[in-house]
Amino acid sequence: MAEGKSFAATDRTLPTRARERARYDEETVHAILDEGYVCHLGFVRDGAPVVLPTLYGRVGNRLYVHGSTGSRPLRMAGGQSADPGLAVCLTVTHVDGLVLAKSAFHHSMNYRSVVVHGTAHQVTDQEEKKVALDALVDHVLPGRAADSRPANTKELAATAVLRLDLREVSAKIRTGGPNDDPEDLALPHWSGVLPVSPSYGAPIPADDLAPGIPAPDYFSAR
Amino acid sequence: MAEGKSFAATDRTLPTRARERARYDEETVHAILDEGYVCHLGFVRDGAPVVLPTLYGRVGNRLYVHGSTGSRPLRMAGGQSADPGLAVCLTVTHVDGLVLAKSAFHHSMNYRSVVVHGTAHQVTDQEEKKVALDALVDHVLPGRAADSRPANTKELAATAVLRLDLREVSAKIRTGGPNDDPEDLALPHWSGVLPVSPSYGAPIPADDLAPGIPAPDYFSAR
């Protein structure tokens, strides 16, 4: 299984509909995760769902999110390795295109998403915490962790990191044009896809950036 | 209150940190919602959180999401107006820039997000359902609902629509450059913002699009 390793489908990751869009292979899951900037982290608070956008990073089959030690999900996950952790659902979505059909009913999106179910635990090992924080910074921009001042003791103490293992995980992908009904094809409406992708503007130097420091060349990685 | 109407903050919408980023005015909330393509809809299933990306539309202070009548969150919300509904958290996030600081600790994102807490109910009124479906299509591309075949009776019956009122809602916005510590300013790392925004490729006609139908001019709205 060195090649084509896949996650096992579970009741939660087997879609009730559009099963042909589901993917479970690591390569697809990792690629979608690595391309995102923010995930949407869901947890249950007082019986009700909460969904917050947050940065994340990946190391192998471990995802990391971070926050202040005082933030709600971090506190809820507990601070000791023996704590039961926090049940979460972490979702990353890319919109790739607006799918315009002849009929309102068949309008759709082309997208790639990953949904991870599991229990998040606070990282208590200091070495793992440093690796996780590097991954978070490198996730924003690959190569950036080595080109910034690492967290000092005070910053490390003020930052809590949650780990979520990739075990119960699935990807969903929709590609291609609209699926119009044959009897609609003679209608006069344009149909097809309007592609969407992120684009990057010119780097804006910080107001307090000293003169003579050029924008780094690893910007081209994004 | 005709001008500058705002949502009242609650325990759930008052952030524990970075309170200066929170906004509660309708204008800001609506603008962020209207610019998004997909929301992340959170609900609780068997005690665990689930977060799924889905299309949405807005009519005034009502949000609508839709799906097959067989999909999980739709079924869980119940099919009768007297049903208790489904506790949800609906979140929309735009990433506007990668914020690169001298220190790893101060790396961040510029973003705009809206988080809505509430109870979603199935729309049982057929007229409201039609208005909601138009809003969903127009949300993908303004002007598109009028330029497509409306849902027929069979399609309406196969589609369930959930309504979520905007009541307990907040926006969060981060703008500007990194907030580096003064003692880091002499470090040789570049600091600033790499702006990110969605861009649109050339429209791709459907394989089964008859010749002679031009791409609509309302594409320019996106």
Side-chain angles (χ1 to χ4, degrees), chain B residues 135-152:
Chain B
L136 276 149
V137 172
D138 275 336
H139 189 88
V140 174
L141 198 60
R144 182 65 188 180
D147 187 23
S148 56
R149 175 179 64 70
N152 59 33

Side-chain angles (χ1 to χ4, degrees), chain A residues 88-111:
Chain A
V88 298
C89 182
L90 185 155
T91 301
V92 172
T93 305
H94 308 293
V95 172
D96 294 327
L98 318 180
V99 180
L100 306 175
K102 303 261 185 187
S103 63
F105 185 74
H106 283 298
H107 276 66
S108 187
M109 287 276 172
N110 282 337
Y111 68 95

Side-chain angles (χ1 to χ4, degrees), chain A residues 60-136:
Chain A
N61 274 332
R62 291 180 166 181
L63 291 184
Y64 295 100
V65 301
H66 72 328
S68 153
T69 50
S71 79
R72 282 175 185 146
L74 279 302
R75 275 188 285 125
M76 291 171 69
Q80 305 298 323
S81 56
D83 283 336
L86 178 68
V88 298
C89 182
L90 185 155
T91 301
V92 172
T93 305
H94 308 293
V95 172
D96 294 327
L98 318 180
V99 180
L100 306 175
K102 303 261 185 187
S103 63
F105 185 74
H106 283 298
H107 276 66
S108 187
M109 287 276 172
N110 282 337
Y111 68 95
R112 289 162 294 146
S113 66
V114 163
V115 176
V116 185
H117 300 272
T119 302
H121 294 274
Q122 276 214 32
V123 174
T124 51
D125 180 271
Q126 292 305 300
E127 280 312 304
E128 182 180 2
K129 197 167 170 180
K130 286 178 187 171
V131 169
L133 291 175
D134 277 354
L136 276 148

Side-chain angles (χ1 to χ4, degrees), chain B residues 65 67 86 97 105 111 118 127 148 155 166:
Chain B
V65 300
L86 178 68
F105 185 74
Y111 67 95
E127 281 312 305
S148 56
E155 291 167 344
L166 292 179

Side-chain angles (χ1 to χ4, degrees), chain B residues 30 33-34 36-39 54-66 90 92 131-140 161-166 222:
Chain B
H30 289 177
L33 290 171
D34 292 353
Y37 291 120
V38 299
C39 65
T54 189
L55 298 175
Y56 65 101
R58 181 180 72 83
V59 179
N61 274 332
R62 289 179 167 183
L63 291 184
Y64 295 101
V65 300
H66 73 328
L90 185 155
V92 172
V131 169
L133 291 175
D134 277 355
L136 276 149
V137 172
D138 275 336
H139 189 88
V140 174
V161 175
L162 288 184
R163 183 182 70 227
L164 174 63
D165 291 339
L166 292 179
R222 282 289 185 186

